[in-house]
Amino acid sequence: MSYTVRPLDAASWATFAELVERNNGIFGGCWCVGFHPEGAQRGPGRRAVKEDRVRTSRAHAALVLDEHGAAQGWCQYGSPDELPSIKHRRAYDKDAPPRPDWRITCFYVDKRHRGQGVARMALEGALDQIARAGGGLVEAISEVTTGRERPGRFLFSATVELFEQYGFTRGRQVGKQAWIVSRVVDPA
């Protein structure tokens, strides 16, 4: 199957929303709002929050579309102000790294398309969009999976190994399997 990548924006909102609705709200109705300031909000209002953020350019993601134009995955990224919530916050803050320009916080791949390179394309798309937006220091908190079995549905932050294939380096461990990874993206 061939895939293309496009930014999440007002024009692609319906495509993104269809993917989320097809997958029962993603992660129990998250709508990929969990890392935004409104992340603690629960219930059906999360869809409206995400739509407002997308339509006002306060949410960013690289959407991966199949050959029919249906979204099959994404990689969410944004500034630390846009995505202030992170996993392992207490451990992260004990010796916080330099403030990044961008954070990558969330990946999702439709279960029928896992193992087909969708997360890889989403990461490539996000890095390309970050470069076109001026580049800078990019960080993520991801999990090491080498030597252990981890179901894909739990890897909402992708794998350290995937990030390392794109030039990210491990900074500091912040959880049992979680690491801060970062790299500088040059402007396009």
Side-chain angles (χ1 to χ4, degrees), residues 53-67:
R53 284 190 151 276
V54 169
R55 292 190 184 281
T56 58
S57 300
R58 296 178 299 128
H60 298 87
L63 292 178
V64 179
L65 310 179
D66 66 20
E67 66 241 5

PDB file of all heavy atoms in Angstrom, residues 53-67:
ATOM      1  N   ARG A  53      -8.623  23.721  18.338  1.00  0.00           N
ATOM      2  CA  ARG A  53      -7.170  23.875  18.281  1.00  0.00           C
ATOM      3  C   ARG A  53      -6.660  23.726  16.850  1.00  0.00           C
ATOM      4  O   ARG A  53      -5.795  24.472  16.412  1.00  0.00           O
ATOM      5  CB  ARG A  53      -6.472  22.860  19.197  1.00  0.00           C
ATOM      6  CG  ARG A  53      -6.570  23.238  20.653  1.00  0.00           C
ATOM      7  CD  ARG A  53      -5.678  22.358  21.525  1.00  0.00           C
ATOM      8  NE  ARG A  53      -5.280  23.149  22.676  1.00  0.00           N
ATOM      9  CZ  ARG A  53      -4.262  23.992  22.702  1.00  0.00           C
ATOM     10  NH1 ARG A  53      -3.496  24.141  21.653  1.00  0.00           N
ATOM     11  NH2 ARG A  53      -3.993  24.683  23.788  1.00  0.00           N
ATOM     12  N   VAL A  54      -7.190  22.750  16.117  1.00  0.00           N
ATOM     13  CA  VAL A  54      -6.750  22.543  14.733  1.00  0.00           C
ATOM     14  C   VAL A  54      -7.148  23.735  13.868  1.00  0.00           C
ATOM     15  O   VAL A  54      -6.339  24.271  13.110  1.00  0.00           O
ATOM     16  CB  VAL A  54      -7.332  21.230  14.164  1.00  0.00           C
ATOM     17  CG1 VAL A  54      -7.118  21.140  12.659  1.00  0.00           C
ATOM     18  CG2 VAL A  54      -6.716  20.026  14.876  1.00  0.00           C
ATOM     19  N   ARG A  55      -8.387  24.177  13.977  1.00  0.00           N
ATOM     20  CA  ARG A  55      -8.878  25.261  13.112  1.00  0.00           C
ATOM     21  C   ARG A  55      -8.244  26.612  13.437  1.00  0.00           C
ATOM     22  O   ARG A  55      -8.264  27.515  12.607  1.00  0.00           O
ATOM     23  CB  ARG A  55     -10.394  25.335  13.184  1.00  0.00           C
ATOM     24  CG  ARG A  55     -11.046  24.109  12.555  1.00  0.00           C
ATOM     25  CD  ARG A  55     -12.538  24.254  12.386  1.00  0.00           C
ATOM     26  NE  ARG A  55     -13.133  23.039  11.872  1.00  0.00           N
ATOM     27  CZ  ARG A  55     -13.122  22.656  10.603  1.00  0.00           C
ATOM     28  NH1 ARG A  55     -12.539  23.402   9.693  1.00  0.00           N
ATOM     29  NH2 ARG A  55     -13.711  21.519  10.229  1.00  0.00           N
ATOM     30  N   THR A  56      -7.641  26.741  14.627  1.00  0.00           N
ATOM     31  CA  THR A  56      -6.967  27.987  15.005  1.00  0.00           C
ATOM     32  C   THR A  56      -5.443  27.818  15.017  1.00  0.00           C
ATOM     33  O   THR A  56      -4.731  28.604  15.637  1.00  0.00           O
ATOM     34  CB  THR A  56      -7.464  28.485  16.375  1.00  0.00           C
ATOM     35  OG1 THR A  56      -7.231  27.471  17.361  1.00  0.00           O
ATOM     36  CG2 THR A  56      -8.945  28.845  16.333  1.00  0.00           C
ATOM     37  N   SER A  57      -4.957  26.778  14.354  1.00  0.00           N
ATOM     38  CA  SER A  57      -3.510  26.499  14.202  1.00  0.00           C
ATOM     39  C   SER A  57      -2.789  26.366  15.539  1.00  0.00           C
ATOM     40  O   SER A  57      -1.642  26.781  15.682  1.00  0.00           O
ATOM     41  CB  SER A  57      -2.846  27.584  13.345  1.00  0.00           C
ATOM     42  OG  SER A  57      -3.434  27.609  12.071  1.00  0.00           O
ATOM     43  N   ARG A  58      -3.469  25.761  16.524  1.00  0.00           N
ATOM     44  CA  ARG A  58      -2.846  25.521  17.832  1.00  0.00           C
ATOM     45  C   ARG A  58      -2.698  24.031  18.110  1.00  0.00           C
ATOM     46  O   ARG A  58      -2.529  23.613  19.251  1.00  0.00           O
ATOM     47  CB  ARG A  58      -3.667  26.178  18.947  1.00  0.00           C
ATOM     48  CG  ARG A  58      -3.710  27.697  18.833  1.00  0.00           C
ATOM     49  CD  ARG A  58      -4.575  28.339  19.925  1.00  0.00           C
ATOM     50  NE  ARG A  58      -5.951  27.872  19.835  1.00  0.00           N
ATOM     51  CZ  ARG A  58      -6.644  27.351  20.853  1.00  0.00           C
ATOM     52  NH1 ARG A  58      -6.114  27.255  22.046  1.00  0.00           N
ATOM     53  NH2 ARG A  58      -7.885  26.942  20.688  1.00  0.00           N
ATOM     54  N   ALA A  59      -2.748  23.225  17.049  1.00  0.00           N
ATOM     55  CA  ALA A  59      -2.495  21.786  17.122  1.00  0.00           C
ATOM     56  C   ALA A  59      -1.801  21.396  15.829  1.00  0.00           C
ATOM     57  O   ALA A  59      -2.174  21.858  14.755  1.00  0.00           O
ATOM     58  CB  ALA A  59      -3.810  21.015  17.281  1.00  0.00           C
ATOM     59  N   HIS A  60      -0.781  20.564  15.949  1.00  0.00           N
ATOM     60  CA  HIS A  60       0.011  20.168  14.791  1.00  0.00           C
ATOM     61  C   HIS A  60       0.182  18.658  14.766  1.00  0.00           C
ATOM     62  O   HIS A  60       0.385  18.041  15.806  1.00  0.00           O
ATOM     63  CB  HIS A  60       1.394  20.822  14.837  1.00  0.00           C
ATOM     64  CG  HIS A  60       1.332  22.299  14.797  1.00  0.00           C
ATOM     65  ND1 HIS A  60       1.189  23.070  15.933  1.00  0.00           N
ATOM     66  CD2 HIS A  60       1.367  23.159  13.760  1.00  0.00           C
ATOM     67  CE1 HIS A  60       1.147  24.343  15.586  1.00  0.00           C
ATOM     68  NE2 HIS A  60       1.252  24.411  14.267  1.00  0.00           N
ATOM     69  N   ALA A  61       0.119  18.096  13.578  1.00  0.00           N
ATOM     70  CA  ALA A  61       0.380  16.674  13.396  1.00  0.00           C
ATOM     71  C   ALA A  61       0.657  16.409  11.930  1.00  0.00           C
ATOM     72  O   ALA A  61       0.228  17.161  11.056  1.00  0.00           O
ATOM     73  CB  ALA A  61      -0.813  15.834  13.863  1.00  0.00           C
ATOM     74  N   ALA A  62       1.369  15.332  11.697  1.00  0.00           N
ATOM     75  CA  ALA A  62       1.556  14.814  10.345  1.00  0.00           C
ATOM     76  C   ALA A  62       0.598  13.645  10.207  1.00  0.00           C
ATOM     77  O   ALA A  62       0.684  12.674  10.953  1.00  0.00           O
ATOM     78  CB  ALA A  62       2.999  14.362  10.152  1.00  0.00           C
ATOM     79  N   LEU A  63      -0.360  13.773   9.276  1.00  0.00           N
ATOM     80  CA  LEU A  63      -1.327  12.707   9.005  1.00  0.00           C
ATOM     81  C   LEU A  63      -0.797  11.824   7.886  1.00  0.00           C
ATOM     82  O   LEU A  63      -0.291  12.331   6.882  1.00  0.00           O
ATOM     83  CB  LEU A  63      -2.663  13.286   8.546  1.00  0.00           C
ATOM     84  CG  LEU A  63      -3.491  14.061   9.541  1.00  0.00           C
ATOM     85  CD1 LEU A  63      -4.760  14.578   8.859  1.00  0.00           C
ATOM     86  CD2 LEU A  63      -3.861  13.192  10.718  1.00  0.00           C
ATOM     87  N   VAL A  64      -0.946  10.528   8.038  1.00  0.00           N
ATOM     88  CA  VAL A  64      -0.563   9.583   7.001  1.00  0.00           C
ATOM     89  C   VAL A  64      -1.845   9.070   6.353  1.00  0.00           C
ATOM     90  O   VAL A  64      -2.712   8.515   7.028  1.00  0.00           O
ATOM     91  CB  VAL A  64       0.265   8.420   7.575  1.00  0.00           C
ATOM     92  CG1 VAL A  64       0.642   7.432   6.476  1.00  0.00           C
ATOM     93  CG2 VAL A  64       1.516   8.947   8.272  1.00  0.00           C
ATOM     94  N   LEU A  65      -1.942   9.291   5.031  1.00  0.00           N
ATOM     95  CA  LEU A  65      -3.136   8.911   4.273  1.00  0.00           C
ATOM     96  C   LEU A  65      -2.823   7.731   3.363  1.00  0.00           C
ATOM     97  O   LEU A  65      -1.731   7.654   2.792  1.00  0.00           O
ATOM     98  CB  LEU A  65      -3.612  10.083   3.412  1.00  0.00           C
ATOM     99  CG  LEU A  65      -3.781  11.435   4.105  1.00  0.00           C
ATOM    100  CD1 LEU A  65      -4.222  12.490   3.100  1.00  0.00           C
ATOM    101  CD2 LEU A  65      -4.764  11.340   5.245  1.00  0.00           C
ATOM    102  N   ASP A  66      -3.807   6.834   3.218  1.00  0.00           N
ATOM    103  CA  ASP A  66      -3.632   5.719   2.293  1.00  0.00           C
ATOM    104  C   ASP A  66      -3.960   6.167   0.874  1.00  0.00           C
ATOM    105  O   ASP A  66      -4.282   7.333   0.636  1.00  0.00           O
ATOM    106  CB  ASP A  66      -4.452   4.501   2.723  1.00  0.00           C
ATOM    107  CG  ASP A  66      -5.963   4.716   2.658  1.00  0.00           C
ATOM    108  OD1 ASP A  66      -6.448   5.633   1.956  1.00  0.00           O
ATOM    109  OD2 ASP A  66      -6.679   3.926   3.318  1.00  0.00           O
ATOM    110  N   GLU A  67      -3.888   5.254  -0.073  1.00  0.00           N
ATOM    111  CA  GLU A  67      -4.101   5.624  -1.481  1.00  0.00           C
ATOM    112  C   GLU A  67      -5.521   6.091  -1.775  1.00  0.00           C
ATOM    113  O   GLU A  67      -5.788   6.684  -2.811  1.00  0.00           O
ATOM    114  CB  GLU A  67      -3.726   4.467  -2.413  1.00  0.00           C
ATOM    115  CG  GLU A  67      -4.632   3.262  -2.263  1.00  0.00           C
ATOM    116  CD  GLU A  67      -3.891   2.015  -1.818  1.00  0.00           C
ATOM    117  OE1 GLU A  67      -2.702   2.081  -1.532  1.00  0.00           O
ATOM    118  OE2 GLU A  67      -4.534   0.966  -1.766  1.00  0.00           O
TER     119      GLU A  67
END
